[in-house]
């Protein structure tokens, strides 16, 4: 492991447990349907602690970021994964094309909407934008049986605005329109609603012409 990853993870393991709040941790775990244990550190103090942890450390290379993220994923409490997502978002421009394989592991290991959505919009999305050849991987993920990869493919353009590949977005949504799971139906609606801020007429036309679930349709048209 690199010196940077070793130093960051050591600081992380030493610092976060000192700020644990068992009562709050129980409530946070319950909110997440007891998918993961928590330390009980809210998002604002957690962000402040992360800034403190990074003080004096250099900017990472892609390999450093991968080691830090995977190290965070190996720790039990959910706050460690939140730190990893925030770190990757901050240094998204440092990630190289090969990082998508790491992102895939982060998506399918300990998956839930909280980390998957952060990775989709702020890690996978920027990677695909920076390395257009990765679009082919999104096409594969959009057809996967692994639900969280499918959700990521649908959401990866969430922040693209007028750079959105509308044909691809609509194709993914149409392909998964009949998916039975809430998280896919919600992702379809969310992705369409976000794109509607840029091209409302295109989204209206697509929704009118496509057999979507009630949830997807309501989400897509919420602000129109």
């Amino acid at each position: 492991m690199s010196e940077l990853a070793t130093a960051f993870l050591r600081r992380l393991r030493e610092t976060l447990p000192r700020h644990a709040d068992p009562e709050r941790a129980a409530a946070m775990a319950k909110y997440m349907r007891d998918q993961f244990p928590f330390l009980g550190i809210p998002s604002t103090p957690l962000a402040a602690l992360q800034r403190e942890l990074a003080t004096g450390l250099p900017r990472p290379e892609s390999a450093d970021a991968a080691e830090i993220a995977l190290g965070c994923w190996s720790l039990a409490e959910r706050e460690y994964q939140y730190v990893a997502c925030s770190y990757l978002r901050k240094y998204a421009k440092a990630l190289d094309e090969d990082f998508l394989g790491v992102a895939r592991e982060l998506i399918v290991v300990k998956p839930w909407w909280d980390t998957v959505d952060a990775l989709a919009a702020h890690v996978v999305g920027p990677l695909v934008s920076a390395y257009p050849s990765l679009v082919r991987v999104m096409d594969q993920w959009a057809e996967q049986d692994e639900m969280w990869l499918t959700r990521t493919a649908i959401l990866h353009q969430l922040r693209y605005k007028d750079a959105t590949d509308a044909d691809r977005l609509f194709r993914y949504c149409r392909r998964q329109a009949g998916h039975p799971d809430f998280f896919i139906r919600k992702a379809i609606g969310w992705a369409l609603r976000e794109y509607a801020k840029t091209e409302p007429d295109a989204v209206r036309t697509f929704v009118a012409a496509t057999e979507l679930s009630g949830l997807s349709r309501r989400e897509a048209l919420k602000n129109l």
Side-chain angles (χ1 to χ4, degrees):
M1 186 174 292
S2 70
E3 290 184 10
L4 171 55
T6 299
F8 186 90
L9 291 169
R10 183 182 66 249
R11 292 182 183 186
L12 188 66
R13 290 191 298 267
E14 291 173 352
T15 301
L16 262 59
R18 296 202 299 266
H19 297 268
D21 181 336
E23 184 174 344
R24 190 184 295 272
M28 292 170 74
K30 184 177 180 180
Y31 176 74
M32 287 294 174
R33 301 185 185 179
D34 293 310
Q35 295 286 319
F36 316 99
F38 280 78
L39 291 167
I41 307 174
S43 58
T44 299
L46 185 63
L49 288 172
Q50 183 168 342
R51 289 192 295 272
E52 179 184 320
L53 291 169
T55 300
L57 296 179
R59 294 178 62 86
E61 300 292 336
S62 187
D64 300 316
E67 290 178 343
I68 288 170
L70 293 171
C72 289
W73 242 254
S74 72
L75 300 171
E77 289 81 9
R78 197 59 164 169
E79 286 88 347
Y80 294 112
Q81 285 94 66
Y82 293 162
V83 166
C85 289
S86 179
Y87 190 89
L88 294 176
R89 177 176 181 174
K90 181 177 181 180
Y91 294 113
K93 291 183 179 180
L95 306 178
D96 62 24
E97 188 172 5
D98 291 338
F99 192 88
L100 189 63
V102 178
R104 186 188 191 285
E105 183 171 350
L106 303 180
I107 290 163
V108 301
V109 175
K110 299 184 180 180
W112 201 237
W113 63 264
D114 51 351
T115 56
V116 170
D117 293 357
L119 292 167
H122 302 297
V123 179
V124 175
L127 277 171
V128 175
S129 179
Y131 302 100
S133 63
L134 296 179
V135 166
R136 295 193 298 271
V137 182
M138 294 300 98
D139 291 344
Q140 294 167 8
W141 288 10
E143 302 284 339
Q144 290 272 328
D145 292 334
E146 169 52 63
M147 178 185 72
W148 297 109
L149 292 178
T150 301
R151 182 174 169 99
T152 298
I154 293 169
L155 295 178
H156 84 276
Q157 297 191 83
L158 206 61
R159 295 167 56 85
Y160 281 21
K161 298 182 180 179
D162 58 2
T164 299
D165 182 337
D167 289 342
R168 180 164 271 104
L169 170 63
F170 293 155
R171 185 166 75 249
Y172 291 178
C173 292
R174 188 180 297 109
R175 171 68 179 81
Q176 297 296 341
H179 199 288
D181 193 275
F182 168 87
F183 287 108
I184 298 300
R185 294 183 173 196
K186 184 79 169 182
I188 290 170
W190 183 15
L192 293 172
R193 184 175 78 243
E194 197 64 24
Y195 186 51
K197 296 176 183 177
T198 301
E199 293 288 349
D201 290 341
V203 171
R204 286 193 190 95
T205 299
F206 174 77
V207 171
T210 307
E211 188 174 345
L212 298 172
S213 70
L215 172 61
S216 297
R217 185 177 297 274
R218 287 192 301 272
E219 288 293 320
L221 301 177
K222 183 177 288 187
N223 297 323
L224 294 179

